[in-house]
Amino acid sequence: LDFDQDGYSGGGVYPSSWACLLLYDNIKGPSCIGSHLVRFISCTFNTGKSKRSKMSLTAKDKSLVKAFWGKISGEADVVGAEALGRMLTAYPQTKTYFSHWADLSPGSAPVKKHGSTIMGAIGNAVGKMDNLVGGLSALSDLHAFNMRVDPGNFKILSHNILVTLAVHFPADFTPEVHIAVDKFLAALSAALADKYR
Amino acid sequence: MVEWTDKERAAISDIFSKLDYDEVGQKCLSRCLIVYPWTQRYFGAFGNLYNAEAIMNNPLIAKHGTTVLRGLERALNNMDDIKNTYAELSVLHSEKLHVDPDNFKLLSDCLTIVIAAKMGTTFTPEYQASFQKFLSVVVSALGKQYH
């Protein structure tokens, strides 16, 4: 069974939707069966749903990310610098990649410059959401063969970007925007790691 | 045993002093259920979780958010022995609730983000580092009794 993000498989295929209900061993009580039944029925009859790979970006995700990025683009440099500074402070092991910098403190010149570079690249990727692997191919080469950044660190930086967005845009960074941006950054990280091996 | 500097203790206490447990608890738990929908598997008896709006307005989720924050307060009040303070809670989450311990990290990331939104720039990188260290000790303690 290929579970998508909602925990239900495929798009409206009766046998697999039924099977995933059976796998819900935490079902307790009629109210819970009710809500699962509603979703099972809509899943079964939702034959218009196109085939998706696990947790891929939906049209709604892309439009939420684009709209949100439009709002924040004026402060992208600030966000990038701060996210990088937060990462270097809260996850000191990431400093190992920047031993060539004189000053690793938040707000230092190299941190600001590099934060701006990173956010610029992410902003570009917003325009390439329909083909992140193709669009980020050159950057993937760079990270894989020159910089050799362990891909686990992409998740760490993504988390710090989310924290920085929450700090600066608390009203706009709603749970719906949060999930869309989180998925986008995860897809971006996967594209960046594409050439690693 | 975990070593805490005075600055870390001060940062963590300061953060907690600014929290309305009802508000932050509700926001944190609902955000987790929305952003990581598979976590809803543990809340089958909590009524309507069908979409983000339903989750945000669900009173049982709100109540449980407060419970979670009160649980964190116990760790705050016993920072030098979080592991033993949480031994029973760890058994509960493992034996009775059957929660995958990977989910603890998801909830703690959502809590960090809700607090960041609330505190704005006063949630400095140093505060973030201290608070995340606290949460990682809590997460580790909660996972300790799993076998």
Side-chain angles (χ1 to χ4, degrees):
Chain A
L1 280 176
D2 182 22
F3 283 92
D4 72 11
Q5 163 199 307
D6 295 322
Y8 286 83
S9 66
V13 178
Y14 179 90
S16 48
S17 302
W18 187 235
C20 68
L21 250 191
L22 293 173
L23 284 168
Y24 261 80
D25 62 347
N26 270 354
I27 290 181
K28 301 178 197 44
S31 61
C32 159
I33 295 257
S35 73
H36 283 297
L37 207 49
V38 169
R39 296 187 71 170
F40 154 63
I41 289 169
S42 73
C43 187
T44 305
F45 288 102
N46 194 2
T47 49
K49 207 167 170 182
S50 55
K51 184 99 180 69
R52 291 170 50 196
S53 56
K54 280 206 244 285
M55 298 208 266
S56 56
L57 295 170
T58 62
K60 183 174 166 209
D61 292 328
K62 291 178 191 177
S63 100
L64 279 169
V65 169
K66 285 195 164 108
F68 183 70
W69 231 262
K71 285 191 184 140
I72 74 159
S73 57
E75 290 186 53
D77 286 350
V78 169
V79 170
E82 187 176 318
L84 193 55
R86 285 182 182 277
M87 184 184 79
L88 295 168
T89 307
Y91 300 86
Q93 70 274 19
T94 58
K95 291 194 287 190
T96 56
Y97 292 99
F98 303 101
S99 50
H100 54 288
W101 286 353
D103 186 355
L104 285 160
S105 56
S108 72
V111 169
K112 275 172 138 165
K113 180 160 172 276
H114 198 59
S116 173
T117 301
I118 292 175
M119 279 305 272
I122 295 178
N124 278 336
V126 170
K128 296 176 184 171
M129 278 190 288
D130 291 329
N131 182 11
L132 283 170
V133 170
L136 292 170
S137 173
L139 273 174
S140 182
D141 283 337
L142 189 70
H143 285 76
F145 303 117
N146 294 50
M147 301 189 293
R148 286 183 284 216
V149 176
D150 187 304
N153 292 295
F154 300 152
K155 207 166 180 199
I156 294 176
L157 181 58
S158 297
H159 168 71
N160 284 285
I161 291 172
L162 296 177
V163 170
T164 307
L165 292 173
V167 163
H168 288 276
F169 304 94
D172 294 305
F173 195 61
T174 61
E176 288 94 334
V177 169
H178 178 166
I179 184 177
V181 175
D182 193 28
K183 286 176 72 178
F184 165 61
L185 292 175
L188 199 160
S189 301
L192 217 46
D194 190 60
K195 301 280 188 53
Y196 269 63
R197 55 178 177 169
Chain B
M1 213 193 70
V2 183
E3 300 284 333
W4 302 99
T5 65
D6 290 340
K7 272 180 109 172
E8 285 167 343
R9 289 178 196 270
I12 294 160
S13 296
D14 188 36
I15 290 167
F16 266 89
S17 73
K18 295 183 157 72
L19 301 186
D20 173 341
Y21 290 1
D22 292 333
E23 180 206 346
V24 170
Q26 183 272 326
K27 282 184 170 161
C28 160
L29 186 55
S30 8
R31 193 168 280 248
C32 186
L33 294 172
I34 293 166
V35 176
Y36 307 106
W38 53 92
T39 57
Q40 292 169 28
R41 78 189 306 279
Y42 304 109
F43 296 91
F46 278 60
N48 185 2
L49 300 179
Y50 190 44
N51 54 33
E53 204 190 322
I55 292 170
M56 294 292 287
N57 291 319
N58 185 312
L60 293 175
I61 294 294
K63 183 158 165 274
H64 196 67
T66 307
T67 303
V68 169
L69 264 287
R70 295 220 175 283
L72 284 173
E73 190 185 50
R74 284 175 58 192
L76 171 74
N77 293 332
N78 293 282
M79 271 176 65
D80 290 316
D81 196 9
I82 294 176
K83 191 171 91 179
N84 283 323
T85 305
Y86 269 29
E88 265 180 48
L89 270 173
S90 180
V91 171
L92 175 78
H93 284 75
S94 158
E95 307 287 306
K96 183 157 180 272
L97 303 173
H98 306 291
V99 178
D100 181 340
D102 283 353
N103 291 296
F104 301 146
K105 183 163 191 309
L106 301 180
L107 184 61
S108 78
D109 284 349
C110 286
L111 180 58
T112 304
I113 281 168
V114 165
I115 288 174
K118 197 173 163 58
M119 290 179 66
T121 47
T122 61
F123 189 63
T124 60
E126 290 75 22
Y127 264 40
Q128 181 187 341
S130 302
F131 194 65
Q132 288 192 192
K133 177 177 169 179
F134 171 75
L135 288 177
S136 71
V137 173
V138 161
V139 163
S140 165
L142 267 177
K144 255 307 183 294
Q145 303 301 325
Y146 279 66
H147 61 93

